[in-house]
Amino acid sequence: MPEFKTSPGTRDILAPHSARWRAFQQVFASTVEAAGYNYIIPPMFEDLDVFLRLGEATEVVTKEMYDFHDKGGRHVALRPEQTASVCRAFVEHRPTTPWKVWYAGPNFRYEKPQQGRYRQFDQVGVEALGADDPLLDAEVIALASKFYTDLGLQKVHLSLNTLGDAGDREKYSQRLLEYFSSNEKDLTADSRATLARNPLRVLDSKREPDQQVIAGAPAIRDSISATASEHFEAVLMALDALNITYEINNRLVRGLDYYRRTTFEFTSTALESAHTAIGGGGRYDGLVEALGGPATPGIGFALGLDRTLLACDAEKVFDAPETAVDVFVVDTVDGRHAHELCHLLRKNEIRADRAYDLRSMKAQMKSADRSGARIALIIGSEEVENATIMLRPMGSGEQYSISRKDLLGEVRKALDKK
Ligand code: AMP
């Protein structure tokens, strides 16, 4: 038999981590729903063309796409991110604006798997379409920031930049092309290849030799229009008003090609690996139009769940929540008493579990211990005869007999006690 294992870059998320994942999404949902964002569930695959609109110089699209022809001959792709799908949904359904939505779920990128970088990875995020207001940029950034705080994270660093408007970006791109071309011999081979595709992305390189060249590169803020510049100043003022600390990083361009104006990234200073980016986002004012919709401004962010949880580990916050049952029923008679009692307890919102296959008292008590239940209910032949149940608060070394008819009241009393 072959040995079956998860495919590279994918993982099984088992308990207790799976409960932590769910709690992460719940905290996110309550943070953003409290700010008027509604849940959207886009499909996990779309026509490839939807994602091609993310830009042909975007690595996620050129190198990392999970695309295939389905049995009907359609060229589809697993989503590498969710902004394109949200914009496609906006064009398809034409909701009233501003349209504020949030999402959670897996994305797929054919990357080189390593710690903090997976081929299937989860993100949570928001998108707000139809408003150009710089106060919205600040709201979106503040929400991400609040979410990190809600998780308990303190070592989160916010970097901000503006990419100007579409024309500005091209002008800047041209200036960078000239600058990097004249310094090409000092760039790494990877960056020389990137330069040919998209000079902006060279700024993303973390490689040491490139860093020195990048340090002398022109800054985008000298190339942007007055309106884009005013927009950025207004965003900064709005963040100051909320006491949100940030650093302006003129070199921040971020991976996806469609960003315009405000762009931002959150990194964890608690993480030591190469992958300290735990989330990011920005404006993408041209994307809806590129997908066939009316000119519509948009802004959003996506936060990496996997990596943010690594940051939580590093800061020792946001532990997996308790998922243990309240009660464990031990039945040494025939198992049917446990069967019926569990049903009754669950019907009354008391979380209950039991052992199966009529195992010995000792084995069942071991299972009770392992289950994390706070009390065990024990039924032997004597209890059946007397219509009683033995109630044992776990770890107390005590136990006492209760009448079967008083079960719910006694269990509730015992659970409240602790
Ligand atoms: P992006 O969609 O590329 O802007 O990424 C937003 C966030 O998603 C990043 O800051 C990471 O935290 C996370 N992320 C992106 N790609 C991966 C990946 N391959 N594995 C794990 N997390 C990722």
Side-chain angles (χ1 to χ4, degrees), residues 74-238:
R74 257 172 192 271
H75 198 171
V76 295
L78 301 183
R79 63 183 185 207
E81 53 97 74
Q82 298 182 50
T83 306
S85 297
V86 169
C87 290
R88 194 265 315 128
F90 177 83
V91 175
E92 190 168 332
H93 304 287
R94 301 290 166 106
T96 48
T97 56
W99 194 50
K100 304 208 298 187
V101 296
W102 71 271
Y103 58 77
N107 303 320
F108 307 86
R109 296 180 191 175
Y110 193 79
E111 304 208 58
K112 194 163 160 226
Q114 50 196 288
Q115 167 85 330
R117 185 175 286 277
Y118 312 100
R119 289 182 174 166
Q120 176 177 332
F121 64 96
D122 263 58
Q123 285 182 335
V124 294
V126 304
E127 312 292 350
L129 290 160
D132 206 16
D133 194 335
L135 295 177
L136 176 61
D137 302 32
E139 171 185 298
V140 162
I141 294 169
L143 267 181
S145 187
K146 174 171 188 300
F147 171 62
Y148 289 132
T149 308
D150 290 347
L151 290 177
L153 289 172
Q154 293 184 338
K155 298 183 176 169
V156 177
H157 179 86
L158 166 63
S159 315
L160 276 180
N161 192 17
T162 176
L163 297 177
D165 289 314
D168 300 338
R169 218 179 128 113
E170 268 131 42
K171 263 191 286 171
Y172 181 53
S173 202
Q174 189 56 39
R175 278 182 67 200
L176 277 183
L177 179 65
E178 284 158 19
Y179 171 78
F180 284 129
S181 300
S182 61
N183 291 281
E184 203 168 345
K185 60 175 188 340
D186 298 323
L187 289 174
T188 58
D190 276 345
S191 283
R192 283 202 293 273
T194 310
L195 179 61
R197 281 199 310 276
N198 184 352
L200 279 168
R201 291 304 309 275
V202 177
L203 294 177
D204 265 355
S205 166
K206 305 274 186 293
R207 292 172 286 263
E208 192 48 47
D210 296 330
Q211 284 294 317
Q212 300 191 5
V213 187
I214 291 168
I220 189 157
R221 285 186 82 181
D222 306 328
S223 306
I224 66 174
S225 68
T227 39
S229 192
E230 274 161 28
H231 185 98
F232 193 53
E233 292 306 323
V235 174
L236 299 183
M237 270 172 59

Side-chain angles (χ1 to χ4, degrees), residues 159-372:
S159 315
L160 276 180
N161 192 17
T162 176
L163 297 177
D165 289 314
D168 300 338
R169 218 179 128 113
E170 268 131 42
K171 263 191 286 171
Y172 181 53
S173 202
Q174 189 56 39
R175 278 182 67 200
L176 277 183
L177 179 65
E178 284 158 19
Y179 171 78
F180 284 129
S181 300
S182 61
N183 291 281
E184 203 168 345
K185 60 175 188 340
D186 298 323
L187 289 174
T188 58
D190 276 345
S191 283
R192 283 202 293 273
T194 310
L195 179 61
R197 281 199 310 276
N198 184 352
L200 279 168
R201 291 304 309 275
V202 177
L203 294 177
D204 265 355
S205 166
K206 305 274 186 293
R207 292 172 286 263
E208 192 48 47
D210 296 330
Q211 284 294 317
Q212 300 191 5
V213 187
I214 291 168
I220 189 157
R221 285 186 82 181
D222 306 328
S223 306
I224 66 174
S225 68
T227 39
S229 192
E230 274 161 28
H231 185 98
F232 193 53
E233 292 306 323
V235 174
L236 299 183
M237 270 172 59
L239 288 172
D240 292 340
L242 302 182
N243 292 321
I244 293 178
T245 44
Y246 54 82
E247 178 198 28
I248 297 173
N249 174 359
N250 287 319
R251 315 264 179 252
L252 180 70
V253 292
R254 299 198 14 88
L256 304 174
D257 243 7
Y258 52 73
Y259 284 113
R260 304 268 181 272
R261 296 198 174 189
T262 314
T263 178
F264 53 93
E265 186 160 82
F266 292 94
T267 49
S268 163
T269 53
L271 286 176
E272 280 164 10
S273 71
H275 304 301
T276 56
I278 54 174
R283 278 207 166 266
Y284 42 84
D285 292 350
L287 188 58
V288 170
E289 232 176 328
L291 284 160
T296 309
I299 181 164
F301 63 69
L303 313 181
L305 181 152
D306 315 66
R307 243 182 255 175
T308 305
L309 285 180
L310 289 174
C312 289
D313 290 341
E315 289 203 43
K316 299 195 170 45
V317 296
F318 198 67
D319 284 339
E322 195 56 71
T323 55
V325 291
D326 301 314
V327 177
F328 196 93
V329 183
V330 172
D331 173 352
T332 56
V333 183
D334 56 9
R336 281 187 301 135
H337 300 279
H339 178 65
E340 284 159 28
L341 272 189
C342 277
H343 185 67
L344 177 72
L345 290 165
R346 292 167 189 162
K347 240 172 54 183
N348 286 279
E349 312 298 332
I350 298 167
R351 288 135 38 108
D353 199 4
R354 52 161 302 198
Y356 304 94
D357 295 331
L358 251 191
R359 301 176 56 223
S360 70
M361 167 82 175
K362 200 170 152 208
Q364 292 195 42
M365 282 312 297
K366 233 186 193 167
S367 303
D369 253 346
R370 245 198 324 259
S371 77

